[in-house]
Amino acid sequence: MRTRATTTLVAVLLAALTACSSGDGSDDAAPASTGEVDGLPETRPAADPDVAQAVMNYTTAYFTGDADTAYETLSDRCQKSTTPQAYEAVVRQALADYGPDHPATDVQTDVRGELALVSYKVHGLPKLDQHRQRWVFEIGDWKYDAC
């Protein structure tokens, strides 16, 4: 039973970190010149240091076991898909499996309106590097939305 629970937690962890990853580059094409991404108008600069900082803070919280901070960084949509307790179990498992030394590096942002597609490396864990991970701007903060 414990092995199945651990396996499930690891699967959830990997799904959470790789939900918007794509190795084939098929979603790399720029949107049509309408000034929109996913139906959202382009109103913010194409690169935004605030979203990069949010990604770095989230990744640090995630891998250091700071479940409260990591959960608070989830978008409303993602928070509705998991409970704080379930997410805490995932974050604790990530800390147990990988340890705390995995900051986000080489953060690249593509920000259009309230949507950001973010690519970054996870130091020491190339299998968890992200490509075009979805983040949204909600109530004055950037939130992880790749659930």
Side-chain angles (χ1 to χ4, degrees):
M1 180 72 167
R2 182 180 174 127
T3 301
R4 186 175 5 173
T6 300
T7 302
T8 300
L9 283 173
V10 170
V12 169
L13 163 70
L14 291 175
L17 284 174
T18 61
C20 286
S21 293
S22 171
D24 66 5
S26 63
D27 60 349
D28 285 346
S33 60
T34 63
E36 295 185 355
V37 171
D38 291 343
L40 298 172
E42 183 175 1
T43 58
R44 296 177 65 96
D48 186 335
D50 293 340
V51 70
Q53 189 62 55
V55 168
M56 290 185 284
N57 292 346
Y58 171 76
T59 305
T60 297
Y62 191 91
F63 285 109
T64 60
D66 184 354
D68 291 337
T69 299
Y71 187 81
E72 286 303 314
T73 306
L74 298 180
S75 68
D76 287 340
R77 184 177 73 86
C78 289
Q79 284 185 2
K80 288 177 183 172
S81 71
T82 188
T83 65
Q85 297 80 15
Y87 203 71
E88 179 178 7
V90 170
V91 170
R92 288 189 188 280
Q93 190 64 50
L95 177 61
D97 290 347
Y98 302 114
D101 260 343
H102 304 290
T105 63
D106 194 26
V107 180
Q108 305 293 316
T109 63
D110 181 6
V111 179
R112 313 259 177 110
E114 306 300 304
L115 170 68
L117 299 175
V118 183
S119 300
Y120 60 95
K121 296 179 181 183
V122 178
H123 178 74
L125 295 172
K127 68 182 179 181
L128 298 180
D129 290 352
Q130 298 301 305
H131 181 70
R132 298 178 66 80
Q133 184 180 66
R134 186 179 169 95
W135 285 70
V136 295
F137 195 72
E138 292 180 346
I139 312 170
D141 290 314
W142 284 102
K143 304 287 185 164
Y144 172 93
D145 193 51
C147 52

